[in-house]
Amino acid sequence: MTMEQRILPQGASGVEYFVKGFELIRQPGLRRFVMLPLSINLLLFSLAFYYLFQRLQGWISQLMAWLPDFLSWLDFLLWPLAVITVLVSASFAFSAIMNFIAAPFNGLLAEQVEKKLTGKPLDTGGLLDLVKDTPRLIGREWTKLWYYLPRALVFLLILLFVPGLGAVIWFGFTAWMMAIQYLDYPFDNHKVPFSRMRNAIAMQRWRSFTFGASAALMAMIPLVNLILMPVAICGATALWVDQYKAVHGRYGME
């Protein structure tokens, strides 16, 4: 792809690339690759939320039994608060789990989006090669998790002890991790090492941050966040093709 064949203009922000993902998930030829991880996502989320809401009545009953009688009127407030808490908290937790389960399918989706955008297939083999590559893909998710955990602990402590500043820092960190999570799929398809990928997106820090911030905001919206994964992967792949492929796409051939 030459500079004249860009997907978005030269100065496009990360937000514009994220929005591009909504357009790409509807493209003919990509829908079946979007539907596979999305179907897995919906199935597991549905089962998880069914289990949680089955237990919710028991949890609230236990809480009401613990409260003194003069606070029994809180019952009508606890239900909506509990539902909102479960939706938001569980959405973040299950999203992290889904990254592991759907990793092979996410890489396949990124590959097909890149093929659609460039007109050139990636030499990644067929379905059998994908199955063989699954352990490495899961290992890559563990690499991202171990990068995330110690930093998350530090920023969580800041959030607890300095709530105002901590909330801003925590959101910034979440946006950065969202950029890493989804941009990593097209980078990994070209066997670009994790450390090199981080350095590459740090060179375009503002574009990466605005992309990740868009994903982080969408992740906060229960139910809508069910389609976050395919949207973000499609948008991240478009960003890869425009901003990184010319330099880092040659890595796997070196």
Side-chain angles (χ1 to χ4, degrees), residues 7 20 47 59 61 64 66 86 98-99 105 134 137 142 155 168 181-182 184-185 190 202 210-211 223 231 242-243 254:
I7 298 163
K20 183 70 176 179
L47 292 174
W59 293 336
S61 297
M64 293 304 301
W66 177 78
V86 167
M98 275 303 303
N99 288 330
F105 306 107
T134 296
L137 295 172
W142 276 112
F155 294 133
V168 175
Q181 178 64 49
Y182 293 110
D184 187 53
Y185 291 115
H190 291 266
T210 53
F211 178 89
L223 302 181
V231 168
D242 269 359
Q243 306 293 338
E254 293 175 358

Side-chain angles (χ1 to χ4, degrees), residues 218-245:
M218 185 173 173
M220 295 178 185
I221 307 173
L223 302 181
V224 175
N225 58 14
L226 291 175
I227 64 169
L228 169 62
M229 190 177 291
V231 168
I233 291 169
C234 289
T237 306
L239 204 165
W240 153 267
V241 171
D242 269 359
Q243 306 293 338
Y244 301 107
K245 182 178 173 65

Side-chain angles (χ1 to χ4, degrees), residues 93-125:
F94 294 140
S95 292
I97 296 171
M98 275 303 303
N99 288 330
F100 281 88
I101 297 174
F105 306 107
N106 291 341
L108 181 60
L109 173 58
E111 175 186 332
Q112 294 300 317
V113 172
E114 184 173 340
K115 178 182 176 181
K116 180 81 171 179
L117 294 174
T118 64
K120 299 176 182 178
L122 278 68
D123 186 18
T124 56

Side-chain angles (χ1 to χ4, degrees), residues 84-236:
I84 293 171
T85 301
V86 167
L87 281 173
V88 174
S89 302
S91 293
F92 276 105
F94 294 140
S95 292
I97 296 171
M98 275 303 303
N99 288 330
F100 281 88
I101 297 174
F105 306 107
N106 291 341
L108 181 60
L109 173 58
E111 175 186 332
Q112 294 300 317
V113 172
E114 184 173 340
K115 178 182 176 181
K116 180 81 171 179
L117 294 174
T118 64
K120 299 176 182 178
L122 278 68
D123 186 18
T124 56
L127 183 59
L128 181 59
D129 295 278
L130 176 64
V131 173
K132 291 179 180 178
D133 207 30
T134 296
R136 187 191 64 80
L137 295 172
I138 299 298
R140 185 84 166 204
E141 292 300 320
W142 276 112
T143 299
K144 284 184 274 190
L145 182 63
W146 288 116
Y147 174 83
Y148 169 81
L149 287 176
R151 292 163 177 80
L153 179 59
V154 172
F155 294 133
L156 183 59
L157 290 173
I158 296 174
L159 178 63
L160 291 174
F161 290 104
V162 193
L165 177 62
V168 175
I169 294 175
W170 181 260
F171 180 79
F173 173 63
T174 301
W176 174 245
M177 284 307 307
M178 285 289 189
I180 285 179
Q181 178 64 49
Y182 293 110
L183 279 164
D184 187 53
Y185 291 115
F187 272 91
D188 188 46
N189 280 343
H190 291 266
K191 306 298 188 292
V192 178
F194 183 71
S195 58
R196 179 167 174 167
M197 179 274 298
R198 290 199 334 262
N199 292 336
I201 66 174
M203 294 295 290
Q204 300 194 38
R205 193 175 300 275
W206 179 245
R207 184 176 279 118
S208 302
F209 176 79
T210 53
F211 178 89
S214 302
L217 289 171
M218 185 173 173
M220 295 178 185
I221 307 173
L223 302 181
V224 175
N225 58 14
L226 291 175
I227 64 169
L228 169 62
M229 190 177 291
V231 168
I233 291 169
C234 289

